Amino acid sequence: MISQLFPFILENNYFDKFHDECGVFGIYSPYKVDTFSLIQFGLFALQHRGQEACGFSVLRDGFIISHKSEGLVLDFFRKISNSKCYHGNAVIGHTRYSTEGGQSKKNIQPFFGEDSFGKSTISIVHNGNLVNAQKIRKKLESKGINFISEYSDSEVILRLIQKYLPESGNNLEKAIQKTTIDIKGAYSVIVLMDNKMAAFRDPNGIRPLCYGMLNEETYIFSSETCGIDSVGGFYVRDLFPGEIIIVEKKSVQFSLLTEKINTKKRICSFEYIYFSRPDSSIENINVYKIREKSGEKLYEQHPVKADVVIGVPDSGVPASIGYSKASGIPFKPILVKNKYIGRSFILPKQEMREKMVNLKLNPILDEIKGKRIVIIDDSIVRGTTSRRLVYILRKAGAKEIHFRSASPPIIGPCYLGVDTPTKKDLISYNYVDKKSIAKILNVDSLEFLSMDNFIDILGSIHYCFGCFTGIYPVQKN
Ligand code: AMP
C-alpha cells in the first residue's frame, strides 16, 4: 500500500551514509533584550537534537556578532564572560550533532556571510539535509564562490541566498524564493539579516519548525515547542510546509515558496518515535501521546503474559506505560539510567558503543529475578542496545524476555536529517524475518509496531516513513 502513496524512491549508495541532526532557535524583538539568556534557554531546551557543538548570532546595533564552539550548551555559555555584549534585538542559534564524516569545527553553525570590510551581514542556522548540496556547491565554487565548511549543506543555502540577494534588489524574501528553487531535501532554516529575521521550511515540511510569541511584538522560532516553553513564550503554530515568515521591526509577513508548494506534507515520523522531546508537540500532536499509544497498540497487536513491563529509558518509557495500561501488566522503572551520560550513538566505534550501554543502564536486580519481562524500546536500529539489555536482564535472572519495538523495523538510512547507520548496519535490513532477529537478540519473543498501526496512531499517511519503507518523499538528483 505504502509504495503507491509515495512518489519517489531513493536508492543510491552515495547517499547511504551519515548525516547531521540539529536544533534551531531564533528570537526577534523590536527592542534590545537579553538575547544572551534567551538563546541560552532555547538552545538548552533543544540540546537533545545536537550535543557536539552549538552557536549563535546576535543582531546588536546593526551588527551581527557570532559565537560558536564544540561542546554542550551550558558549558559553552558558561565560558562566555562578557554576556552583555550579546544583548541585542534578535538572535538565532543552533545545536549540532555531527557524525563521523564531519566533526570539524568549520562545520559548526551559524554560518555567516561578510561584506568586503569583513562585517557580518547575514547569518543562518539550518536543520535538515539537502540531497543536491554537493552538486550546487561544485557549481558555485566553479564560479569563484568560496566555502568555509568542509561539507555542509547549510553553507550551500547561505551562499545561494547571498548570490541571489544582489539580483533581487537585496530583498531577502525574493532571494530565499530563488534559493529554494535550487535546493532539494529537508530544510528548516532561520536567517538573520539587516534588521530582519526570516524562517522557512521545505515544501514537504520534513523537519519540524514552529513559531510562538514572547509578547505581542516578540517572535520566537524553534525546532520544537519545548524551545518556546523554555523562554516562557506561547506557541502559535507550526510553519506550513513551504512557508516563509519574515519579521522586520514591528511587522510580520507570511508567504509561500510558491514554486514548490506541496499540499501533502511529509513530516518525519521518526521525530515522534525518538527524536523530539516527549513534551513537544508537532503539528499540535503531542509526542508523548503518540509514544504512549504505540505501546497500547503493541499490546493489542501481540498480547503476551508477563509479570512486569519495563521501558528503555528515556524514549522507550512512554510506550511501556501505554503497554501497561492496555495489558494491566504493571510498569516498573527498574532499568536505571545514569543521566549524566550522552546518547550511546555519539561514540563512533561499535565496541565503545556496546560498553556505553552497560554504563548507561543498570537494572534493579531483585525486581528482575525469576520474572517474565516485557521490555520496550522506541526502536531497534543496529540491535546493539537491545542485545546488551537482554544480556543484562538474563544475567539478573529474568525468566522470560519479550522484546517490543515501538516503531516498525528500520530498513533504510535517513537522507533527510536524522542520523541513522548505513544499510549494512541495520539489523532489520539484514534480517527480514523477526525470528532470526529474536535469535540474535536472545529473546523469547520479538515484535515491532506494525506500519498499519503506526499510521493509524498518527492519523494520516502524510509523513515521511523513509527509514521504515525505503521510500522517501524527495527524489535524489
Ligand atoms: P541500536 O542500539 O543501534 O539498536 O539503537 C537503538 C537505540 O538507539 C534505541 O534505544 C533508540 O532510542 C536509539 N536511537 C534510535 N535512533 C537514534 C538516532 N538517530 N540517534 C541516536 N540514538 C538513536
Side-chain angles (χ1 to χ4, degrees), residues 166-383:
E167 58 192 76
S168 309
N170 219 31
N171 180 309
L172 182 58
E173 190 207 330
K174 281 190 188 150
I176 291 172
Q177 292 273 7
K178 286 183 181 165
T179 298
T180 58
I181 291 168
D182 293 349
I183 58 178
K184 275 187 185 173
Y187 49 90
S188 285
V189 179
I190 313 176
V191 184
L192 190 58
M193 187 188 120
D194 297 336
N195 207 7
K196 51 177 96 77
M197 183 176 286
F200 59 99
R201 204 172 165 203
D202 67 79
N204 289 294
I206 294 168
R207 303 259 68 88
L209 185 62
C210 57
Y211 89 92
M213 309 288 297
L214 197 57
N215 52 49
E216 274 176 17
E217 294 166 326
T218 307
Y219 286 80
I220 311 164
F221 297 100
S222 177
S223 288
E224 289 180 40
T225 56
C226 67
I228 296 176
D229 298 339
S230 75
V231 292
F234 64 90
Y235 163 83
V236 178
R237 65 170 169 83
D238 290 44
L239 268 74
F240 301 125
E243 183 177 19
I244 164 167
I245 302 181
I246 299 189
V247 199
E248 183 170 13
K249 294 191 181 128
K250 290 189 177 181
S251 76
V252 58
Q253 176 201 321
F254 303 88
S255 53
L256 292 172
L257 304 170
T258 44
E259 298 273 345
K260 302 186 108 187
I261 193 66
N262 180 349
T263 50
K264 293 198 175 97
K265 57 189 184 202
R266 297 277 184 231
I267 300 159
C268 165
S269 58
F270 204 67
E271 289 277 350
Y272 290 96
I273 300 273
Y274 168 79
F275 204 34
S276 288
R277 255 172 54 163
D279 51 332
S280 287
S281 292
I282 309 170
E283 302 274 333
N284 266 319
I285 305 175
N286 174 237
V287 171
Y288 175 85
K289 264 272 149 292
I290 296 291
R291 292 181 188 167
E292 196 187 80
K293 278 192 197 158
S294 68
E296 291 172 23
K297 284 278 183 198
L298 266 173
Y299 179 72
E300 284 168 26
Q301 220 178 278
H302 297 283
V304 68
K305 286 201 176 108
D307 303 307
V308 62
V309 185
I310 60 181
V312 180
D314 296 309
S315 37
V317 171
S320 57
I321 291 171
Y323 193 97
S324 168
K325 248 169 81 178
S327 63
I329 304 168
F331 160 78
K332 289 192 183 177
I334 51 184
L335 262 183
V336 180
K337 181 179 170 183
N338 185 330
K339 287 190 270 248
Y340 307 100
I341 222 150
R343 288 180 172 181
S344 54
F345 248 63
I346 285 173
L347 292 175
K349 295 257 161 34
Q350 178 80 358
E351 189 196 310
M352 273 306 274
R353 260 198 305 270
E354 293 194 13
K355 286 204 177 105
M356 282 291 273
V357 179
N358 207 11
L359 258 182
K360 192 170 160 180
L361 296 167
N362 210 24
I364 301 175
L365 296 179
D366 287 351
E367 297 290 339
I368 287 162
K369 201 164 181 212
K371 301 272 167 53
R372 295 167 301 171
I373 290 172
V374 176
I375 176 162
I376 307 189
D377 203 353
D378 62 274
S379 56
I380 300 175
V381 184
R382 296 176 172 94

Side-chain angles (χ1 to χ4, degrees), residues 24-306:
V24 294
F25 191 82
I27 289 210
Y28 184 97
S29 157
Y31 316 104
K32 200 178 266 187
V33 288
D34 180 0
T35 38
F36 180 82
S37 297
L38 290 169
I39 194 67
Q40 180 172 195
F41 295 165
L43 293 184
F44 185 47
L46 299 175
Q47 181 77 86
H48 60 291
R49 299 185 72 87
Q51 297 155 3
E52 280 189 4
C54 56
F56 63 86
S57 292
V58 174
L59 181 70
R60 180 187 162 96
D61 303 328
F63 288 88
I64 293 175
I65 318 157
S66 300
H67 201 78
K68 49 186 182 174
S69 167
E70 288 150 323
L72 294 169
V73 173
L74 293 187
D75 297 335
F76 165 75
F77 277 92
R78 202 175 295 131
K79 283 186 206 141
I80 303 172
S81 50
N82 48 346
S83 62
K84 283 225 165 99
C85 295
Y86 296 105
H87 288 197
N89 72 306
V91 63
I92 59 172
H94 190 265
T95 55
R96 173 177 162 80
Y97 170 29
S98 72
T99 52
E100 286 177 58
Q103 288 177 351
S104 162
K105 280 185 186 168
K106 289 179 188 161
N107 295 333
I108 302 174
Q109 299 194 36
F111 284 111
F112 46 87
E114 294 170 340
D115 64 16
S116 49
F117 302 103
K119 180 188 166 206
S120 293
T121 52
I122 183 168
S123 180
I124 78 159
V125 288
H126 162 225
N127 171 216
N129 198 67
L130 303 184
V131 295
N132 63 345
Q134 291 318 300
K135 210 168 160 184
I136 298 174
R137 177 168 173 155
K138 271 191 196 135
K139 224 162 131 184
L140 293 178
E141 280 176 332
S142 73
K143 288 183 181 156
I145 293 175
N146 289 327
F147 280 75
I148 289 162
S149 66
E150 281 164 355
Y151 164 86
S152 170
D153 48 356
S154 314
E155 193 182 1
V156 169
I157 302 176
L158 170 71
R159 301 298 167 212
L160 277 174
I161 295 175
Q162 280 186 295
K163 172 178 173 273
Y164 287 126
L165 271 168
E167 58 192 76
S168 309
N170 219 31
N171 180 309
L172 182 58
E173 190 207 330
K174 281 190 188 150
I176 291 172
Q177 292 273 7
K178 286 183 181 165
T179 298
T180 58
I181 291 168
D182 293 349
I183 58 178
K184 275 187 185 173
Y187 49 90
S188 285
V189 179
I190 313 176
V191 184
L192 190 58
M193 187 188 120
D194 297 336
N195 207 7
K196 51 177 96 77
M197 183 176 286
F200 59 99
R201 204 172 165 203
D202 67 79
N204 289 294
I206 294 168
R207 303 259 68 88
L209 185 62
C210 57
Y211 89 92
M213 309 288 297
L214 197 57
N215 52 49
E216 274 176 17
E217 294 166 326
T218 307
Y219 286 80
I220 311 164
F221 297 100
S222 177
S223 288
E224 289 180 40
T225 56
C226 67
I228 296 176
D229 298 339
S230 75
V231 292
F234 64 90
Y235 163 83
V236 178
R237 65 170 169 83
D238 290 44
L239 268 74
F240 301 125
E243 183 177 19
I244 164 167
I245 302 181
I246 299 189
V247 199
E248 183 170 13
K249 294 191 181 128
K250 290 189 177 181
S251 76
V252 58
Q253 176 201 321
F254 303 88
S255 53
L256 292 172
L257 304 170
T258 44
E259 298 273 345
K260 302 186 108 187
I261 193 66
N262 180 349
T263 50
K264 293 198 175 97
K265 57 189 184 202
R266 297 277 184 231
I267 300 159
C268 165
S269 58
F270 204 67
E271 289 277 350
Y272 290 96
I273 300 273
Y274 168 79
F275 204 34
S276 288
R277 255 172 54 163
D279 51 332
S280 287
S281 292
I282 309 170
E283 302 274 333
N284 266 319
I285 305 175
N286 174 237
V287 171
Y288 175 85
K289 264 272 149 292
I290 296 291
R291 292 181 188 167
E292 196 187 80
K293 278 192 197 158
S294 68
E296 291 172 23
K297 284 278 183 198
L298 266 173
Y299 179 72
E300 284 168 26
Q301 220 178 278
H302 297 283
V304 68
K305 286 201 176 108

